[in-house]
Amino acid sequence: MAEAAQISTNAPMTSSRRTYNRALARFVRHRLALFGLAAIVLLVLLCAVGPYLWPYNDLRIDIRHRFAEPFSGAHIFGADELGRDLLARLMTAGRVSLTVGFAAMAISTVIGTFIGTIAGYFGGIVGTALMRFVDAVLCFPSIFLLLALAAFVQPNLLAITLVIAATAWMEVARVVEAQIRSLRERDFAVAAQALGASDAHIMFRELLPNAIAPIVVASTLNVARAILLEAYVSYLGYGIQPPTPSWGNMLNNAQEYLSTAPWLALLPGLFITLAVTGFNFVGDGLRDALDPRLDLP
Amino acid sequence: MSVGAETILEVLELRKWFSVGGGVLSGAKSTLKAVDGVSFSINRGEILGLVGESGSGKTSVGRTILRLAEPTGGTIRFRGQDITHISRGALRSIRPKMQLVFQDPFASLNPRMTVGRIVGAPLMIHEPGLGRAERARRVGEMLQTVGLSPGHAERYPHEFSGGQRQRVGIARALMLAPEFLVADEPVSALDVSIQAQIINLLLDLRARLSLAILFISHDLAVVGHVCDRVAVMYLGRLVETAATAELFANPRHPYTEALFSAAPDPDPEIKRTRVILTGDIPSPINPPTGCVFRTRCRYALPACAEAVPPLRTVGPGHQSACIRDDLSLQPAI
Ligand SMILES: Nc1ncnc2c1ncn2[C@@H]1O[C@H](COP(=O)(O)OP(=O)(O)OP(=O)(O)O)[C@@H](O)[C@H]1O
Ligand code: SF4
Ligand SMILES: [Mg+2]
């Protein structure tokens, strides 16, 4: 059995490592993805660590500095109508907005993955019924769905997160359903069936690990979506309620002063844009980097 | 039960029909009879070859008798027990005794799992109480049995050559000590030089474990070398069965003759008249009436269209489904 010796026992670089490096190389070549990643890291660091370092508190009212302009004094990004430091507020608001974004992504990914796996694996009536349901939910414009749901719940952080997750799981479900449906026809799935493996074993141990890449991509894009949705509802006044700041309700608050103090709207808008485009670029970069078709030798 | 000729698998009038078409727009559904009344049996330790062109229904036979596809009709009896319609729970305890080896060594191994996990999966499923170390030991042993080394357990399938992967697939199938194996074209995806190694491995395992094997192939040279008996399949039906030597020396069905003739000659010096198989295999959705082979048979008579010729005994252990007894057909080689 000469063949067995073909692979030396300590090859310097296994090809799974090679695959990983190739994916990494593709991601790094993706300029926008790198820019997006930098923006995300910067924002997360700023919001997580910033409040400990910055001398101003987001709630401290300082009437003398009402409408302080940016870059003109101690309040580097200026101050709002109550003289509260804008950078401090942006950082606290960022904690809220990013937390909602990540948490909603996590919840929607779990729901979407579960429903997509069940639908793709069982197919038939169960699969059709589930996917028709997904289509039906997708038919509603998500902002409408979101507002309808938000009208019924107490607008606190958890409720808003759950509501956003409830409008964002469908894409994941679709992606996962398509993957699982094609994977379950593969021979290795038949082999597991021939061994008498349970449905749960086949779904979650054999098939799902092969669908990780598209799930990661969909989840990344979902963070961007969730941040944007949170901004929408909070801007419209149904989301996070003041005095807890979020980028969205800061925008809402800034409307009145748009002509006199435009920076109150511009800066939260800039942060939202940075976060949303950042996650979108990273998602696109991952999509290209993880595309298995590009891995063919 | 006597030693020697103990039947391990008996298949009677097996049918596997698929319902095809019936899309949103086209509406009408039609029935595709992939397997339509196939009967055979396999003894313990015996290798039965199943040959036929692509689309004749070989894979469907293999998967249906393993209950990986629901049979439409007929009976499957495994070790004396009727398993045609038994529940999934009941099937679970039988699964270890009947296993499958695949054609495509790339698609049949989960790319996300190490070889150790792939080969150990049967143990995880059927002996969940087994400790990690014990499982690793048994995986290592099995890898050695199929000609790999225990160290290979840490690696992923894509790090192996086709022949090595096929060994991994065989190791997985053997892990639970099966008595019956369906080997669905186990070597047709491999280089010729590797084919012999895998075939010898299967023959060796058959001898040591007295495995019965349904060996599906379209390579007659391989079948002649490996199988004790051969069943020839065409369009969902068996058209001829005989002991390998008898079939090769004395084919009685025109389709068998055509298959032999289409196979590449081992010795190009010998001149033979080629019986060319013209045209494609007809659609199993709408097969010819009477003898299904008649549209391509050069001996066809008007009578061939009248009724489906049943398998008739034409010699000791030799059956053929042709109405003509007056033919003298070309043997293989
Ligand atoms: N799941 C399915 N649904 C519908 N038709 C099917 C299905 N599986 C197989 N068939 C059809 O049944 C017929 C027999 O297929 P099968 O795969 O059993 O043939 P085969 O002899 O194994 O061919 P090959 O040598 O190409 O593997 C073909 O016409 C095929 O298209
Ligand atoms: S029954 Fe007729 S058509 Fe069929 S194989 Fe025999 S001769 Fe040919
Ligand atoms: Mg086949």
Side-chain angles (χ1 to χ4, degrees), chain A residues 1-11 14-17 19 121-122 185-202 205-207 209-213, chain B residues 63 67-68 88 92 95 98-100 102-104 107-113 117 121-122 124-126 146-148 152 155-156 158-164 167 172 176 194 197 201:
Chain A
M1 322 224 154
E3 237 196 305
Q6 231 166 271
I7 293 183
S8 78
T9 335
N10 37 26
T14 68
S15 53
S16 76
R17 171 65 53 81
T19 307
Y121 180 76
F122 289 103
E185 302 299 326
R186 300 264 286 273
D187 281 352
F188 68 80
V190 177
Q193 195 192 345
L195 288 170
S198 64
D199 291 328
H201 177 104
I202 300 178
R205 289 186 181 221
E206 299 274 350
L207 305 184
N210 285 284
I212 292 296
Chain B
R63 301 224 169 161
R67 285 287 310 274
L68 295 168
R88 200 170 158 180
R92 195 179 145 91
R95 291 242 176 258
M98 45 184 218
Q99 279 298 310
L100 178 60
F102 295 85
Q103 167 173 7
D104 183 349
S108 62
L109 306 179
N110 192 333
R112 297 275 165 187
M113 288 190 177
R117 275 195 67 190
M124 297 230 307
I125 293 164
H126 287 278
V146 299
L148 296 169
H152 286 137
R155 295 166 174 274
Y156 284 88
H158 63 247
E159 301 174 50
F160 292 86
S161 68
Q164 288 175 316
R167 288 174 196 271
R172 169 178 59 196
L176 298 167
I194 310 293
Q197 297 179 13
L201 173 65

Side-chain angles (χ1 to χ4, degrees), chain B residues 252-255 291-295 297-301 303-305 309 321-324 327:
Chain B
R252 297 295 299 271
H253 196 282
Y255 180 59
C291 174
V292 284
F293 186 54
R294 77 183 160 82
T295 51
C297 179
R298 57 191 197 132
Y299 308 106
L301 301 174
C304 298
C322 175
I323 57 169
R324 292 190 62 172
L327 303 171

Side-chain angles (χ1 to χ4, degrees), chain B residues 20 36 51 74 77 118 123 171 205 217 249 272 283 303 307 316 326:
Chain B
V20 292
D36 197 22
V51 300
R77 207 168 275 134
I118 291 170
L123 295 175
L205 292 168
S217 179
R272 340 182 326 135
S283 158
D326 55 327

Side-chain angles (χ1 to χ4, degrees), chain B residues 202-275:
Chain B
L202 284 172
L203 287 174
D204 174 51
L205 292 168
R206 182 272 289 265
R208 273 160 54 192
L209 312 170
S210 83
L211 266 177
I213 303 178
L214 179 66
F215 190 93
I216 298 173
S217 179
H218 56 246
D219 185 336
L220 286 159
V222 170
V223 165
H225 177 61
V226 173
C227 301
D228 305 309
R229 270 190 313 133
V230 180
V232 181
M233 190 165 183
Y234 185 76
L235 218 55
R237 295 200 171 88
L238 293 191
V239 295
E240 185 166 12
T241 59
T244 309
E246 161 76 4
L247 187 85
F248 277 59
N250 185 21
R252 297 295 299 271
H253 196 282
Y255 180 59
T256 312
E257 179 193 48
L259 276 185
F260 285 151
S261 179
D265 257 317
D267 186 353
E269 294 294 297
I270 305 172
K271 285 269 173 289
R272 340 182 326 135
T273 4
R274 289 251 172 210
V275 186

Side-chain angles (χ1 to χ4, degrees), chain A residues 54 56 62 65 68-79 83-85:
Chain A
W54 190 236
Y56 296 99
D62 175 4
H65 288 107
E69 290 188 17
F71 311 114
S72 63
H75 299 289
I76 189 153
F77 279 177
R84 294 176 296 191
D85 181 77

Side-chain angles (χ1 to χ4, degrees), chain A residues 52-72:
Chain A
Y52 297 111
L53 305 177
W54 190 236
Y56 296 99
N57 175 305
D58 66 296
L59 295 176
R60 203 183 74 195
I61 295 172
D62 175 4
I63 299 296
R64 279 173 307 149
H65 288 107
R66 292 179 67 203
F67 298 117
E69 290 188 17
F71 311 114
S72 63

Side-chain angles (χ1 to χ4, degrees), chain B:
Chain B
M1 288 196 197
S2 69
V3 200
E6 182 199 340
T7 302
I8 187 155
L9 177 82
E10 198 179 2
V11 177
L12 286 172
E13 287 298 318
L14 185 69
R15 291 196 301 280
K16 176 62 196 173
W17 297 355
F18 294 104
S19 169
V20 292
V24 183
L25 296 176
S26 69
K29 283 202 175 197
S30 37
T31 306
L32 185 154
K33 301 181 176 178
V35 182
D36 197 22
V38 163
S39 306
F40 61 88
S41 65
I42 304 182
N43 292 335
R44 208 171 273 281
E46 183 185 38
I47 302 186
L48 174 67
L50 185 59
V51 300
E53 279 166 290
S54 181
S56 51
K58 308 179 297 293
T59 297
S60 301
V61 168
R63 301 224 169 161
T64 309
I65 56 184
L66 293 180
R67 285 287 310 274
L68 295 168
E70 282 310 300
T72 309
T75 309
I76 307 157
R77 207 168 275 134
F78 182 63
R79 301 199 301 176
Q81 181 189 359
D82 184 343
I83 63 162
T84 323
H85 297 294
I86 62 171
S87 72
R88 200 170 158 180
L91 211 49
R92 195 179 145 91
S93 60
I94 296 168
R95 291 242 176 258
K97 296 293 156 208
M98 45 184 218
Q99 279 298 310
L100 178 60
V101 174
F102 295 85
Q103 167 173 7
D104 183 349
F106 290 84
S108 62
L109 306 179
N110 192 333
R112 297 275 165 187
M113 288 190 177
T114 61
V115 162
R117 275 195 67 190
I118 291 170
V119 178
L123 295 175
M124 297 230 307
I125 293 164
H126 287 278
E127 299 175 41
L130 213 61
R132 217 171 227 275
E134 174 62 9
R135 194 163 62 229
R137 192 188 62 75
R138 288 185 44 190
V139 166
E141 261 177 30
M142 183 50 72
L143 288 176
Q144 274 175 321
T145 305
V146 299
L148 296 169
S149 84
H152 286 137
E154 307 298 322
R155 295 166 174 274
Y156 284 88
H158 63 247
E159 301 174 50
F160 292 86
S161 68
Q164 288 175 316
R165 285 166 179 239
Q166 203 54 305
R167 288 174 196 271
V168 173
I170 293 171
R172 169 178 59 196
L174 293 181
M175 201 68 217
L176 298 167
E179 296 170 16
F180 171 59
L181 213 57
V182 172
D184 192 349
E185 315 229 18
V187 297
S188 31
L190 305 177
D191 289 348
V192 178
S193 55
I194 310 293
Q195 288 192 358
Q197 297 179 13
I198 297 296
I199 285 168
N200 289 338
L201 173 65
L202 284 172
L203 287 174
D204 174 51
L205 292 168
R206 182 272 289 265
R208 273 160 54 192
L209 312 170
S210 83
L211 266 177
I213 303 178
L214 179 66
F215 190 93
I216 298 173
S217 179
H218 56 246
D219 185 336
L220 286 159
V222 170
V223 165
H225 177 61
V226 173
C227 301
D228 305 309
R229 270 190 313 133
V230 180
V232 181
M233 190 165 183
Y234 185 76
L235 218 55
R237 295 200 171 88
L238 293 191
V239 295
E240 185 166 12
T241 59
T244 309
E246 161 76 4
L247 187 85
F248 277 59
N250 185 21
R252 297 295 299 271
H253 196 282
Y255 180 59
T256 312
E257 179 193 48
L259 276 185
F260 285 151
S261 179
D265 257 317
D267 186 353
E269 294 294 297
I270 305 172
K271 285 269 173 289
R272 340 182 326 135
T273 4
R274 289 251 172 210
V275 186
I276 303 299
L277 263 177
T278 47
D280 286 329
I281 186 165
S283 158
I285 296 176
N286 197 1
T289 54
C291 174
V292 284
F293 186 54
R294 77 183 160 82
T295 51
R296 299 162 83 195
C297 179
R298 57 191 197 132
Y299 308 106
L301 301 174
C304 298
E306 271 157 30
V308 179
L311 271 178
R312 293 181 301 128
T313 301
V314 293
H318 193 160
Q319 298 177 300
S320 165
C322 175
I323 57 169
R324 292 190 62 172
D325 277 326
D326 55 327
L327 303 171
S328 71
L329 303 175
Q330 276 189 57
I333 309 153

